[in-house]
Amino acid sequence: MTRAEMSSDDEDTPLSQTISRKNQRVRKIVPEEDSDYDSDDVLSKQPKKKKTKTLSKEKKIKVKSDSDDDDDEVMSKKLEKKKKKKKTKTIKKSIKKEKETENDLKEEENNDDEEEDKEESYKWWEEGDVKDNGWTSLVHNGVMFPPEYEPLPSHIKLYYDNQPVELPPEAEEVAGFYAALLETDHGKNPVFQKNFFNDFLQILKENGGTLNGIEIKSFDKCDFSKIYNYFEVLKEEKKKLSAQEKKELRLERQKEEEIYKFCELNGRKEQVGNFRVEPPDLFRGRGKHPKTGKLKRRVHPEDIVLNLSKDAPIPKPPKGHKWGEIRHDPNVQWLAMWRENIFNSFKYVRLAANSSLKGQSDLKKFEKARELKSHIDSIRRDYKRSLKSKVMLERQKAVAIYLIDVFALRAGGEKSEDEADTVGCCSLRYEHVTLQPPNIVIFDFLGKDSIRFYQEVEVDKQVFKDLIIFKRPPKQPGHQLFDRLDPSILNKHLQSYMPGLTAKVFRTYNASKTMQDQLDLIPNEGSVAEKLLRYNAANRTVAILCNHQRSVTKGHAQSVQKANFRIKELIWQRIRLKKSILQLDKKLRKKNPKFYAEIDDLTKEDEIEIHEKIIERENEKYQRKFVRENDKRKFENEELLEEKVLNEWLEKVEDLKKEFAEEIKTGEIVLKPTLNTVEKLEKQIERLDLRIETSSIQLKDKEENSEVSLGTSKINYIDPRLSVVFCKKFGVPIEKIFTKSLREKFTWAIESVDENWRF
DNA sequence: CCGAGTACTTAGGACCCGCCGT
DNA sequence: ACGGCGGGTCCTAAGTACTCGG
């Protein structure tokens, strides 16, 4: 019995305890009018109060150029103007700060003619070594709250035991969260239902129960379908809306975001990442998560801690509210934070991926991985030796590092009972590893995000022996394979080789190393498309190494089936053509029996099935055409097509059907006048051959790729400089490999390497 | 030294939107 | 013009690792 099975039930007590404890933190929601907060753009409205050295220059600019300085856009304008790239990139950081103001000012005057929109980016990577994370000045506008709950229209209700229920808005909101998921996997998951229902009842109780005296006791008697349907209608309406109105809505949204989207870090404009506070919802835990479905409560300004410069203006909280706390901690990268109620852990608002801070961390990460290059040999030598160590702990360390190094396992920290049962290296258990002499190991476990890790591999002989030892009785299923180990012990050991070396560095190192090796194998020839294919193949190798998967999309099975059928149909067509040839000249079969052999592969059942599908498809085609045509005519106030017209079309299909039936009966194919010679038929067959070929390859590619996610390794593991070098060397435009946001994230890489750079 | 607490990276799925074939 | 599809972005869950206080 696994831990998950043992723990999944009988959680009633702990769960309800959590709920009631959390309840003390619940705040009453302020009436709507009150909460119509207008967060002022403190950055632009109070620029004069800024005392920060790095900002002083802005004042001058403004004095110089801007008289209506309370404009909302002041900040962006100012920042754009001063964003001029410093040509004097050798300025030492230490003295930079003091001189910055002067320098900037001087340059400001000199560079006024530079294009305004080139602005942006501070090229930190051109300034020698990266400074330690943290900031000297941080100014921002706080966070954006989700809209208040809007009650459902009065005719949309939850039904209990077939009776409409009057819910207080607070409870209705929660019911709505569930209703929205009614038809999803979450909605159908019993654990999710149970957790949701507990919390729902709790909220209901807190708010005085139902308003019409109905007492809700059993989940099974709840009918959420009315609410669900209503949401579906809303979705439809939103989709239909599709005019330019959609664009207007988007613009409005963007305008609201505007002030939160940017902040000022060390005097420079930078993008904020997740400035939207997470809206309340049901927690969607992955895998067999014991807490999935629990209510994630609304976050209020009072829950939020802001982090900014001491002298930065404090953003206005929503009307009638106060911030939880204001902090000035320059050693952390977050702008705001709050505690969530599911695990009592923190959520952070941080800078966007394209920010200097993130870029610097990224560069550091890859440089650390590269540093491992010069230690990896001795590390490998050592762990190979330690595989035979007399000290158990040493052996376990050695095997663990081996697994992390060779199979790219994660460290595998300890997890608590109220999380999904997933493991990494150190937390592997007896049952996750099967040993098959002489040296085959089968890994089968759930890793991060409950993604299955399944591999049958050959391992080092001594590793195999050690694993046998680690599994020796009295150990049994449920027991830790590495009972003396945890990530911190492992990491401590690793640091003795190299400062900052931890288990996760191996993943980065091996991913990038693999990519480099794979790219080295690609010949510099062929079209850009071919090169891209090869790049993606290399990328895929890495993704497979890291076990980056994606679930096949809902339509995948169907679309594969469809593609398969299309191929089948093409083959049928080919056979039909071949039959046609034989009808013209029977003797040809003897001359080339192989060519005609596939005719016998086609069974009557197959044939009938294909016929039916084609008929069905044709019918649908005309039905759709009819509906569409009439929709159009209705819209344009024209006369509608009569049913008669449709029937005429369908007649044609009937004819085809008869033709097929005849074909089945007699085995004779009626030749089309355009296809009535052996030559013409053969040519047609050739064309079909090609189509079948390409369709098959495409399908295979699709299937192979359907479960592999290339993105994660591209974003997190493959040193972007590898891709940049590849593009430069092979004449592939970088846009083919990095999307716009990736190009922004990796500007430091794109602008800093030449084609000789190697990982 | 350890565990709780904190801060940061890594991850897959939802969702949206533009493109393509019809 | 339209709907299905797939790429790109958004969202937030789920990891790793470090720190700090007893």
Side-chain angles (χ1 to χ4, degrees), chain A residues 269-312:
Chain A
K269 186 178 175 183
E270 298 256 19
Q271 264 179 280
V272 182
N274 53 332
F275 49 84
R276 280 170 201 283
V277 172
E278 292 177 18
D281 198 358
L282 301 181
F283 170 67
R284 280 124 122 143
R286 297 175 189 166
K288 283 193 179 175
H289 201 299
K291 291 197 171 187
T292 194
K294 284 180 65 61
L295 175 64
K296 191 168 76 169
R297 289 180 179 255
R298 186 176 286 273
V299 177
H300 299 104
E302 287 73 9
D303 304 318
I304 291 192
V305 181
L306 295 182
N307 187 36
L308 27 62
S309 292
K310 278 207 175 94
D311 48 7

Coordinates of all heavy atoms in Angstrom, one line a residue, chain A residues 269-312:
Chain A
K269 N 13.1 51.8 -15.8 CA 11.8 51.2 -16.0 C 11.9 49.7 -16.3 O 12.7 49.3 -17.1 CB 11.1 51.9 -17.1 CG 9.7 51.5 -17.3 CD 9.1 52.3 -18.5 CE 7.7 51.9 -18.8 NZ 7.2 52.7 -20.0
E270 N 11.2 48.9 -15.5 CA 11.2 47.5 -15.8 C 9.8 46.9 -15.7 O 9.0 47.5 -15.1 CB 12.1 46.8 -14.7 CG 13.5 47.2 -14.6 CD 14.5 46.2 -15.2 OE1 14.0 45.3 -15.9 OE2 15.6 46.3 -14.8
Q271 N 9.6 45.8 -16.4 CA 8.3 45.2 -16.4 C 8.1 44.3 -15.1 O 9.0 43.6 -14.7 CB 8.1 44.4 -17.6 CG 7.4 45.1 -18.7 CD 7.2 44.3 -19.9 OE1 8.1 44.1 -20.7 NE2 6.0 43.7 -20.1
V272 N 6.9 44.4 -14.6 CA 6.5 43.6 -13.5 C 5.8 42.3 -14.1 O 5.2 42.4 -15.1 CB 5.5 44.3 -12.6 CG1 5.1 43.5 -11.4 CG2 6.1 45.6 -12.1
G273 N 6.1 41.2 -13.4 CA 5.5 40.0 -13.9 C 4.0 39.8 -13.6 O 3.1 40.2 -14.3
N274 N 3.8 39.2 -12.5 CA 2.4 38.8 -12.1 C 1.8 39.9 -11.2 O 1.5 39.6 -10.0 CB 2.4 37.5 -11.4 CG 3.4 37.5 -10.2 OD1 4.4 38.2 -10.2 ND2 3.1 36.7 -9.2
F275 N 1.5 41.1 -11.7 CA 1.0 42.1 -10.8 C -0.5 41.9 -10.5 O -1.0 42.6 -9.7 CB 1.1 43.5 -11.6 CG 0.6 43.5 -13.0 CD1 -0.7 43.7 -13.2 CD2 1.5 43.2 -14.0 CE1 -1.2 43.6 -14.5 CE2 1.1 43.2 -15.3 CZ -0.3 43.4 -15.6
R276 N -1.1 41.0 -11.1 CA -2.5 40.7 -10.8 C -2.6 39.7 -9.6 O -2.0 38.6 -9.6 CB -3.2 39.9 -11.9 CG -3.7 40.8 -13.0 CD -4.2 39.9 -14.1 NE -4.2 40.7 -15.3 CZ -5.1 41.6 -15.6 NH1 -6.2 41.7 -14.8 NH2 -5.0 42.3 -16.7
V277 N -3.3 40.1 -8.5 CA -3.5 39.2 -7.4 C -4.3 38.1 -7.8 O -5.3 38.2 -8.6 CB -4.2 40.0 -6.3 CG1 -4.5 39.1 -5.1 CG2 -3.3 41.1 -5.8
E278 N -3.9 36.9 -7.4 CA -4.7 35.7 -7.8 C -6.1 35.8 -7.3 O -6.4 36.0 -6.1 CB -4.0 34.4 -7.3 CG -2.7 34.2 -7.9 CD -2.0 33.0 -7.3 OE1 -2.6 32.1 -6.7 OE2 -0.7 32.9 -7.5
P279 N -7.1 35.6 -8.2 CA -8.5 35.7 -7.8 C -8.9 34.5 -7.0 O -8.2 33.4 -7.1 CB -9.2 35.7 -9.2 CG -8.3 35.1 -10.1 CD -6.9 35.4 -9.7
P280 N -9.9 34.6 -6.2 CA -10.4 33.4 -5.5 C -10.8 32.3 -6.4 O -11.3 32.7 -7.6 CB -11.6 34.0 -4.7 CG -12.0 35.2 -5.4 CD -10.8 35.8 -6.0
D281 N -10.7 31.1 -6.0 CA -11.1 30.0 -6.9 C -11.0 28.7 -6.1 O -10.6 28.7 -4.9 CB -10.1 29.9 -8.1 CG -10.6 29.1 -9.2 OD1 -11.8 28.6 -9.1 OD2 -9.9 29.0 -10.3
L282 N -11.3 27.6 -6.7 CA -11.0 26.3 -6.1 C -9.6 25.9 -6.4 O -9.2 26.0 -7.6 CB -12.1 25.3 -6.5 CG -13.5 25.7 -6.2 CD1 -14.5 24.6 -6.7 CD2 -13.7 26.0 -4.7
F283 N -8.9 25.5 -5.5 CA -7.5 25.1 -5.7 C -7.5 23.9 -6.6 O -8.1 22.8 -6.4 CB -6.9 24.7 -4.3 CG -5.5 24.1 -4.4 CD1 -4.5 24.8 -4.9 CD2 -5.4 22.8 -4.0 CE1 -3.2 24.2 -5.0 CE2 -4.1 22.1 -4.1 CZ -3.1 22.8 -4.6
R284 N -6.7 24.0 -7.7 CA -6.6 22.9 -8.6 C -5.3 22.2 -8.5 O -4.4 22.5 -9.3 CB -6.8 23.4 -10.1 CG -8.2 23.7 -10.5 CD -8.4 25.1 -10.9 NE -8.9 25.2 -12.2 CZ -9.8 26.1 -12.7 NH1 -10.3 27.0 -11.9 NH2 -10.2 26.1 -13.9
G285 N -5.2 21.4 -7.5 CA -4.0 20.6 -7.3 C -3.8 19.6 -8.4 O -4.7 19.1 -9.0
R286 N -2.5 19.2 -8.6 CA -2.3 18.3 -9.7 C -2.1 16.9 -9.1 O -1.7 16.7 -8.0 CB -1.0 18.7 -10.5 CG -1.3 20.0 -11.1 CD 0.0 20.6 -11.8 NE -0.3 21.9 -12.2 CZ 0.6 22.8 -12.6 NH1 1.8 22.5 -12.6 NH2 0.3 24.0 -12.9
G287 N -2.3 15.9 -10.0 CA -2.2 14.5 -9.6 C -3.2 14.2 -8.5 O -4.3 14.8 -8.4
K288 N -2.8 13.3 -7.6 CA -3.7 12.9 -6.5 C -3.5 13.8 -5.3 O -2.9 13.4 -4.3 CB -3.5 11.5 -6.1 CG -4.0 10.4 -7.0 CD -4.0 9.1 -6.3 CE -4.6 8.0 -7.2 NZ -4.4 6.6 -6.6
H289 N -3.9 15.1 -5.5 CA -3.6 16.0 -4.4 C -4.7 16.0 -3.4 O -5.9 16.1 -3.7 CB -3.5 17.4 -5.0 CG -2.7 18.3 -4.1 ND1 -3.1 18.6 -2.8 CD2 -1.6 19.0 -4.3 CE1 -2.3 19.4 -2.3 NE2 -1.3 19.7 -3.1
P290 N -4.3 15.7 -2.1 CA -5.3 15.6 -1.0 C -6.1 16.9 -0.8 O -7.2 16.8 -0.4 CB -4.5 15.3 0.2 CG -3.2 14.9 -0.2 CD -2.9 15.5 -1.6
K291 N -5.6 18.0 -1.2 CA -6.3 19.3 -0.9 C -7.0 19.8 -2.2 O -7.5 20.9 -2.1 CB -5.3 20.3 -0.4 CG -4.8 20.0 1.0 CD -4.2 21.2 1.6 CE -3.9 20.9 3.1 NZ -3.5 22.1 3.8
T292 N -6.9 19.1 -3.2 CA -7.5 19.7 -4.5 C -9.0 20.0 -4.3 O -9.7 19.2 -3.6 CB -7.3 18.7 -5.7 OG1 -7.6 19.4 -6.9 CG2 -8.2 17.5 -5.6
G293 N -9.4 21.1 -4.8 CA -10.9 21.5 -4.6 C -11.1 22.4 -3.5 O -12.2 23.0 -3.4
K294 N -10.2 22.6 -2.6 CA -10.4 23.5 -1.5 C -10.5 24.9 -2.0 O -10.0 25.3 -3.0 CB -9.3 23.4 -0.5 CG -9.3 22.1 0.4 CD -8.2 22.0 1.4 CE -8.3 23.1 2.4 NZ -9.5 23.1 3.2
L295 N -11.2 25.7 -1.2 CA -11.4 27.1 -1.6 C -10.2 27.9 -1.4 O -9.6 28.0 -0.3 CB -12.6 27.7 -0.8 CG -12.8 29.2 -1.1 CD1 -13.2 29.5 -2.5 CD2 -13.8 29.8 -0.1
K296 N -9.7 28.6 -2.4 CA -8.6 29.5 -2.3 C -9.3 30.9 -2.1 O -10.0 31.4 -3.0 CB -7.8 29.5 -3.6 CG -6.5 30.2 -3.5 CD -5.7 29.9 -4.7 CE -6.1 30.7 -5.9 NZ -5.2 30.6 -7.0
R297 N -9.1 31.4 -1.0 CA -9.9 32.6 -0.6 C -9.4 33.9 -1.3 O -8.3 34.0 -1.7 CB -9.9 32.8 0.9 CG -10.7 31.8 1.6 CD -10.7 31.9 3.1 NE -11.5 31.0 3.8 CZ -12.7 31.2 4.3 NH1 -13.2 32.4 4.2 NH2 -13.4 30.3 4.9
R298 N -10.3 34.8 -1.3 CA -10.0 36.1 -1.9 C -8.9 36.8 -1.0 O -8.9 36.8 0.2 CB -11.3 37.0 -1.9 CG -11.1 38.3 -2.6 CD -12.4 39.1 -2.7 NE -13.4 38.5 -3.7 CZ -13.4 38.8 -4.9 NH1 -12.5 39.7 -5.4 NH2 -14.2 38.2 -5.8
V299 N -8.0 37.5 -1.7 CA -6.9 38.2 -1.1 C -7.3 39.7 -1.0 O -7.7 40.3 -2.0 CB -5.6 38.0 -1.9 CG1 -4.5 38.9 -1.3 CG2 -5.2 36.6 -2.0
H300 N -7.2 40.2 0.2 CA -7.5 41.6 0.4 C -6.3 42.5 0.6 O -5.2 41.9 1.0 CB -8.5 41.8 1.6 CG -9.8 41.1 1.4 ND1 -10.0 39.9 2.0 CD2 -10.8 41.3 0.6 CE1 -11.2 39.5 1.6 NE2 -11.7 40.3 0.8
P301 N -6.4 43.8 0.4 CA -5.2 44.6 0.6 C -4.6 44.4 1.9 O -3.3 44.4 2.1 CB -5.8 46.0 0.5 CG -7.0 45.9 -0.4 CD -7.5 44.5 -0.1
E302 N -5.4 44.1 2.9 CA -4.9 43.9 4.3 C -4.0 42.7 4.4 O -3.2 42.5 5.3 CB -6.0 43.8 5.3 CG -6.8 45.1 5.6 CD -7.6 45.6 4.4 OE1 -7.8 44.8 3.5 OE2 -8.1 46.7 4.5
D303 N -4.1 41.8 3.4 CA -3.3 40.6 3.4 C -1.9 40.8 2.7 O -1.1 39.9 2.7 CB -4.0 39.5 2.6 CG -5.3 39.2 3.1 OD1 -5.5 39.1 4.4 OD2 -6.3 39.0 2.3
I304 N -1.8 42.0 2.1 CA -0.6 42.2 1.2 C 0.5 43.0 1.9 O 0.2 44.0 2.5 CB -1.1 42.8 -0.1 CG1 -2.0 41.8 -0.8 CG2 0.1 43.3 -0.9 CD1 -2.3 42.1 -2.2
V305 N 1.7 42.5 1.6 CA 2.9 43.2 2.1 C 3.5 43.8 0.9 O 3.8 43.1 -0.1 CB 3.8 42.2 2.8 CG1 5.1 43.0 3.3 CG2 3.2 41.5 3.9
L306 N 3.8 45.1 0.9 CA 4.5 45.7 -0.2 C 5.9 45.9 0.2 O 6.3 46.1 1.3 CB 3.9 47.1 -0.5 CG 2.4 47.1 -1.0 CD1 2.0 48.6 -1.3 CD2 2.3 46.2 -2.3
N307 N 6.8 45.8 -0.9 CA 8.2 46.0 -0.6 C 8.7 47.0 -1.6 O 8.5 46.9 -2.8 CB 8.9 44.6 -0.9 CG 10.4 44.7 -0.5 OD1 10.8 45.4 0.4 ND2 11.2 44.0 -1.3
L308 N 9.2 48.1 -1.1 CA 9.7 49.2 -2.0 C 10.7 50.1 -1.2 O 11.0 49.9 0.0 CB 8.6 50.0 -2.6 CG 7.3 50.1 -1.8 CD1 7.5 50.8 -0.5 CD2 6.3 50.9 -2.6
S309 N 11.3 51.0 -1.9 CA 12.3 51.9 -1.3 C 11.7 52.7 -0.2 O 10.5 53.0 -0.2 CB 12.8 52.9 -2.4 OG 13.5 52.3 -3.4
K310 N 12.5 53.0 0.7 CA 12.1 53.8 1.9 C 11.4 55.1 1.5 O 10.4 55.5 2.0 CB 13.2 54.1 2.8 CG 13.5 52.9 3.8 CD 14.2 53.4 5.0 CE 14.4 52.3 6.0 NZ 15.8 51.7 6.0
D311 N 12.1 55.7 0.5 CA 11.6 57.0 0.1 C 10.6 57.0 -1.1 O 10.2 58.0 -1.7 CB 12.7 58.0 -0.3 CG 13.7 57.3 -1.2 OD1 13.5 56.2 -1.6 OD2 14.8 57.9 -1.4
A312 N 10.2 55.8 -1.5 CA 9.3 55.7 -2.6 C 7.9 56.0 -2.1 O 7.6 55.7 -0.9 CB 9.3 54.3 -3.2

